[in-house]
C-alpha cells in the first residue's frame, strides 16, 4: 500500500475524529464478584483462568487515563458493570453509579472524551439465573438498568448499548448448550457455528429499548458495537452463497438493527474465508497472533466497508476496537499502522469514520486467559505497576499528527 498516508492532508479525517483506546470493566476492574463471568470462572474446574483482581482499574482508573492522555490520545472507552450497579434485582447502588460518574469526570478533566459501554459480555449472576439473554425477563431487566445508568450519562457524547452482540449471542448459545450437557470447543482451529439468530433478535430488542431510553434521557449519540468478521468467500458460487448466509447471522442482523442509530461501533481483528461448508478455521501459521487468529491488519478496511454497505451508508462508523494479541510490541505498531492505512483508504472512498479506539489500553483479562496481551500499557499483576509500551507513545504521536503515521 502506498506511503501517501504518512502525512495526512488537513480535513482528510472528520473534525473531532476520536483517537483513543478501549477497555471493559470485567477485564480490568477486578473482583467483579456478582457477575455471571466471575461465577463461571470459579465453576470451570480450572478450564478458565480467574480474573481475580484483574488489573485493579477499579481503583487505578485515573492513572490509566492519565497515561493515555499524556501520550496524546483524546478518548477513552470504558464500561459500566451491571453487576455492580444492580447487585440484587431492582436494587441499585448509588455508590457504584457515583464511581462511574467519577470516571466520566476524570476522563473529561484529563482531556479524554468518554465513550461509555453499558454492557460488555458480563451480566449479574442473578440475571443468568433468570435465564440470561434467552430468559423471559431479559429485555425489561436490561432496560431498567439502562434507565438507572442514564442518571450519570446526561453530558456523555458517545454511548454503546451492547458490546459485540453477535459474540454475546454465540456465548449465550454455548452457555445454553453446556447446560444441556453438550461439550463446547471455542478454539480458533475449529469450525465455529454461527451465532443463534433467535438470541440475536432478542438482543436487537434489548438494544432498541436501550436506544430509546438513552435518547429520551441524555444528549448522547447512541449505538452498539459489532465484532466484524471480515468474511471473504472462497471462489465459487456455493461459497459465495454460504458467505452471504453466514454474514447475516454473524453481523448483518446487527448492522440492520443499527440503521437508525447515531453511529455503529466497528470492532476488527482478523478476516476469515468462507467455503461451501462454512467459516474456514484460521490455518496454523507462524504469524498467527496469541489468540490463534490470522495476522490480518487489512481486516479493518474490509470491516469498515462491510459495515458501511450493510447500513446503507447512512450511519457514521466509530472503530471501537482494533488491535492484536502479541508479546512483541514492534508487531503491535506494525499491525496498527497497516490497519490505519486501510482505515484511511476506506475514508478516501467515502466511508464516514469518526474515530479509532485501539484495543486495548492495558494488558488485561482475555475472557478466561491472561496470555493474550493486547495492551498499549503493560501491567505487573502482583504490584499493578503500569508500564507504557512504545506503541502507546507511537499511537499518541499519530493522534497528535492528526493521523500522520510517521513523526
Ligand atoms: O477482549 C475482547 C473484548 O472484550 C471484545 N472484543 C474482542 C477483544 C479481544 O478478543
Amino acid at each position: 500500500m502506498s506511503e501517501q498516508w504518512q502525512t495526512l492532508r488537513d480535513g482528510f479525517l472528520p473534525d473531532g475524529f476520536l483517537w483513543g483506546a478501549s477497555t471493559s470493566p470485567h477485564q480490568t476492574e477486578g473482583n467483579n464478584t456478582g457477575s455471571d463471568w466471575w461465577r463461571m470462572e470459579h465453576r470451570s474446574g480450572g478450564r478458565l483462568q480467574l480474573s481475580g483482581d484483574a488489573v485493579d482499574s477499579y481503583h487505578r482508573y485515573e492513572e490509566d487515563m492519565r497515561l493515555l492522555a499524556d501520550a496524546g490520545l483524546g478518548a477513552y472507552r470504558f464500561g459500566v458493570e451491571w453487576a455492580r450497579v444492580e447487585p440484587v434485582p431492582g436494587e441499585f447502588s448509588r455508590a457504584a453509579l457515583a464511581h462511574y460518574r467519577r470516571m466520566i469526570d476524570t476522563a473529561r478533566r484529563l482531556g479524554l472524551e468518554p465513550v461509555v459501554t453499558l454492557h460488555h459480555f458480563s451480566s449479574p449472576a442473578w440475571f443468568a439465573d433468570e435465564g440470561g439473554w434467552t430468559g423471559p425477563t431479559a429485555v425489561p431487566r436490561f432496560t431498567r438498568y439502562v434507565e438507572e445508568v442514564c442518571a450519570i450519562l446526561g453530558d456523555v457524547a458517545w454511548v454503546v448499548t451492547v458490546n459485540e452482540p453477535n459474540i454475546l449471542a454465540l456465548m449465550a448459545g454455548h452457555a445454553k448448550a453446556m447446560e444441556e450437557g453438550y461439550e463446547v470447543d471455542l478454539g480458533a482451529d475449529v469450525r465455529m457455528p454461527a451465532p443463534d439468530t433467535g438470541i440475536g433478535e432478542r438482543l436487537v430488542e434489548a438494544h432498541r429499548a436501550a436506544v430509546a431510553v438513552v435518547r429520551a434521557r441524555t444528549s448522547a449519540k447512541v449505538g452498539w458495537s459489532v465484532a466484524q468478521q471480515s468474511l471473504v468467500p472462497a471462489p465459487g458460487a456455493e461459497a459465495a452463497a454460504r458467505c452471504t448466509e453466514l454474514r447475516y447471522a454473524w453481523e448483518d442482523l446487527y448492522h440492520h438493527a443499527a440503521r437508525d442509530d447515531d453511529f455503529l461501533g466497528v470492532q476488527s481483528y482478523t478476516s476469515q474465508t468462507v467455503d461451501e461448508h462454512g467459516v474456514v478455521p484460521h490455518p496454523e501459521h507462524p504469524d498467527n497472533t496469541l489468540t490463534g487468529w490470522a495476522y490480518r491488519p487489512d481486516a479493518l478496511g474490509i470491516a469498515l466497508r462491510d459495515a458501511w454497505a450493510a447500513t446503507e451508508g447512512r450511519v457514521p462508523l466509530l472503530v471501537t476496537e482494533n488491535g492484536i494479541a502479541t508479546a512483541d510490541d514492534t508487531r503491535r505498531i506494525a499491525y496498527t499502522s497497516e490497519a490505519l492505512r486501510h482505515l484511511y483508504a476506506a475514508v478516501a472512498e467515502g466511508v464516514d469514520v469518526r474515530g479509532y479506539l485501539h484495543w486495548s489500553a492495558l494488558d488485561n483479562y482475555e475472557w478466561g486467559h491472561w496470555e493474550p496481551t493486547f495492551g498499549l500499557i503493560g501491567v505487573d499483576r502482583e504490584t499493578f505497576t503500569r508500564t507504557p509500551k512504545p506503541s502507546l507513545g507511537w499511537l499518541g504521536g499519530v493522534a497528535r499528527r492528526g493521523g500522520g503515521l510517521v513523526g
Side-chain angles (χ1 to χ4, degrees):
M1 180 164 290
S2 97
E3 294 308 295
Q4 62 179 309
W5 311 115
Q6 294 195 348
T7 52
L8 283 187
R9 296 181 308 280
D10 272 354
F12 178 76
L13 295 174
D15 279 349
F17 189 90
L18 297 181
W19 287 102
S22 296
T23 57
S24 85
H26 187 74
Q27 293 175 273
T28 58
E29 289 180 341
N31 298 301
N32 186 17
T33 57
S35 71
D36 56 349
W37 257 90
W38 180 274
R39 190 169 70 180
M40 192 158 63
E41 290 160 25
H42 286 83
R43 288 184 178 171
S44 76
R47 195 176 52 83
L48 302 175
Q49 291 180 329
L50 304 179
S51 53
D53 286 323
V55 290
D56 195 29
S57 290
Y58 195 81
H59 302 107
R60 294 167 201 260
Y61 64 85
E62 178 160 359
E63 185 183 350
D64 299 341
M65 292 185 195
R66 192 179 296 282
L67 288 169
L68 301 179
D70 286 353
L73 297 178
Y76 183 46
R77 172 180 173 228
F78 57 90
V80 173
E81 183 60 53
W82 185 2
R84 293 189 198 274
V85 169
E86 192 178 2
V88 173
E91 268 183 42
F92 293 90
S93 163
R94 302 291 141 220
L97 287 168
H99 167 84
Y100 291 111
R101 181 62 227 183
R102 279 194 297 279
M103 286 186 75
I104 294 165
D105 292 337
T106 304
R108 282 266 159 72
R109 178 162 47 76
L110 294 170
L112 297 172
E113 187 63 44
V115 177
V116 179
T117 308
L118 301 177
H119 187 280
H120 193 124
F121 290 165
S122 46
S123 302
W126 58 257
F127 177 75
D129 292 338
E130 287 185 355
W133 290 107
T134 52
T137 59
V139 176
R141 287 285 190 209
F142 183 61
T143 313
R144 181 76 189 89
Y145 155 71
V146 173
E147 283 170 2
E148 286 294 318
V149 181
C150 279
I152 61 157
L153 298 178
D155 56 345
V156 168
W158 300 86
V159 171
V160 176
T161 59
V162 180
N163 176 75
E164 295 185 350
N166 46 346
I167 304 299
L168 192 57
L170 195 70
M171 286 175 172
H174 287 154
K176 217 166 145 208
M178 285 195 286
E179 250 168 52
E180 290 161 7
Y182 296 104
E183 279 278 310
V184 173
D185 186 347
L186 295 174
D189 53 346
V190 293
R191 271 188 196 260
M192 293 282 267
D196 179 320
T197 48
I199 303 176
E201 278 152 17
R202 171 66 62 82
L203 292 169
V204 166
E205 220 187 299
H207 169 62
R208 292 223 163 101
V211 167
V213 171
V214 174
R215 282 196 172 142
R217 297 178 184 222
T218 78
S219 53
K221 290 185 265 301
V222 59
W224 63 356
S225 60
V226 174
Q228 299 287 146
Q229 303 304 305
S230 299
L231 299 176
V232 177
E238 250 189 280
R242 190 89 175 100
C243 190
T244 307
E245 185 193 314
L246 283 172
R247 230 186 241 143
Y248 179 76
W250 270 103
E251 49 194 34
D252 283 350
L253 166 63
Y254 307 90
H255 290 149
H256 296 170
R259 281 180 179 163
D260 293 319
D261 291 353
D262 302 313
F263 71 94
L264 170 65
V266 165
Q267 312 205 154
S268 168
Y269 294 89
T270 190
S271 162
Q272 272 172 285
T273 306
V274 175
D275 65 16
E276 64 276 25
H277 307 294
V279 177
V280 179
H282 296 280
E284 287 236 6
H285 194 278
D287 270 357
N288 284 1
T289 71
L290 290 176
T291 39
W293 302 339
Y295 180 89
R296 293 290 301 272
D298 61 315
L300 183 57
I302 304 172
L304 288 166
R305 289 184 192 93
D306 284 353
W308 186 241
T311 50
E312 301 173 327
R314 59 182 209 227
V315 184
L317 307 179
L318 177 65
V319 177
T320 36
E321 290 184 20
N322 172 249
I324 174 173
T326 177
D328 174 356
D329 199 52
T330 311
R331 233 176 150 224
R332 189 179 332 281
I333 295 175
Y335 174 95
T336 309
S337 58
E338 196 54 28
L340 286 173
R341 286 188 175 93
H342 287 279
L343 182 158
Y344 300 158
V347 171
E349 286 166 25
V351 179
D352 183 356
V353 186
R354 302 295 174 92
Y356 175 86
L357 308 179
H358 190 81
W359 184 271
S360 177
L362 303 142
D363 287 344
N364 61 42
Y365 178 69
E366 176 59 16
W367 306 109
H369 308 277
W370 280 100
E371 197 210 352
T373 42
F374 283 90
L376 299 167
I377 302 169
V379 184
D380 178 323
R381 287 187 35 239
E382 291 293 315
T383 62
F384 304 111
T385 305
R386 274 72 173 136
T387 305
K389 301 179 190 176
S391 53
L392 176 64
W394 172 82
L395 188 62
V398 173
R400 287 195 164 109
R401 292 187 293 273
L405 293 173
V406 169

